[in-house]
Amino acid sequence: MERRNAEGYHDPTAYGGMRMAEQKAEKETVRMVYKNGRMELYIHEFFPCRLAVARKVFPLIRRFAKDEDKEKLKQFLRIKAREHSGKVRAFSEKADSLMAKSEEWHFYRRKAREEQIIYNQCVKNLKLLEGRKE
């Protein structure tokens, strides 16, 4: 895609729009088609989601999404959970190796807590996707 239009004039708006459209074509989605419409959720941008949102979205996904989309989402959440679990462990170990209550120690403890929150979201999202109570 060029930055110039068919007449040769510089057209950054069209160029930017086409680049964004091309990027969206590559994104993994969960598609739900139901009686009154459809919904697409970009997996990498939307998940893991907070519990309040998950309680609304996952019943729809279980009911209206195709099995391959559900499986794709499960795999993504499992990978994310493993990834964030490893980060929690790494940040906690780094904090444990530092002098307690130092500035660095607080930094790594905070990073470990942030990663723990994301890990918990992944686990709860997986439970709701599978239809289990969290």
Side-chain angles (χ1 to χ4, degrees), residues 5 36 38-39 42 45 51 70 86 121 131:
N5 63 18
N36 298 333
R38 67 183 180 90
M39 182 186 330
Y42 295 113
E45 286 81 10
L51 189 57
K70 290 183 223 175
Q121 285 177 337

Side-chain angles (χ1 to χ4, degrees), residues 2-134:
E2 292 189 30
R3 292 181 187 263
R4 300 192 179 273
N5 63 18
E7 290 83 30
Y9 293 103
H10 186 68
D11 193 358
T13 305
Y15 174 77
M18 290 303 294
R19 286 203 32 133
M20 295 218 20
E22 289 170 358
Q23 289 174 355
K24 285 184 181 178
E26 299 172 8
K27 294 183 180 181
E28 290 186 278
T29 61
V30 173
R31 289 183 181 86
M32 294 167 277
V33 180
Y34 41 90
K35 189 176 180 179
N36 298 333
R38 67 183 180 90
M39 182 186 330
E40 289 185 16
L41 301 173
Y42 295 113
I43 292 175
H44 293 274
E45 286 81 10
F46 192 82
F47 298 101
C49 57
R50 291 199 159 88
L51 189 57
V53 173
R55 285 184 175 145
K56 294 176 184 176
V57 167
F58 282 107
L60 295 173
I61 292 172
R62 286 195 314 269
R63 186 169 174 197
F64 297 112
K66 293 181 181 177
D67 289 337
E68 55 266 17
D69 283 349
K70 290 183 223 175
E71 191 57 38
K72 188 172 29 174
L73 180 55
K74 275 184 196 176
Q75 291 301 323
F76 172 78
L77 289 169
R78 286 180 185 136
I79 290 168
K80 283 302 229 187
R82 276 195 303 268
E83 178 183 311
H84 290 286
S85 173
K87 287 181 181 181
V88 168
R89 200 169 22 264
F91 286 135
S92 295
E93 288 171 3
K94 181 67 176 173
D96 292 343
S97 71
L98 297 169
M99 187 174 70
K101 309 291 185 198
S102 68
E103 190 174 321
E104 278 187 291
W105 180 83
H106 282 291
F107 172 80
Y108 285 107
R109 293 299 304 156
R110 187 182 79 242
K111 294 300 280 181
R113 281 192 304 273
E114 289 170 0
E115 294 298 327
Q116 184 68 46
I117 289 168
I118 298 171
Y119 169 78
N120 291 344
Q121 285 177 337
C122 290
V123 170
K124 289 175 184 177
N125 282 196
L126 271 168
K127 286 180 181 177
L128 286 169
L129 181 59
E130 294 168 352
R132 296 183 280 151
K133 298 287 182 193
E134 76 288 335

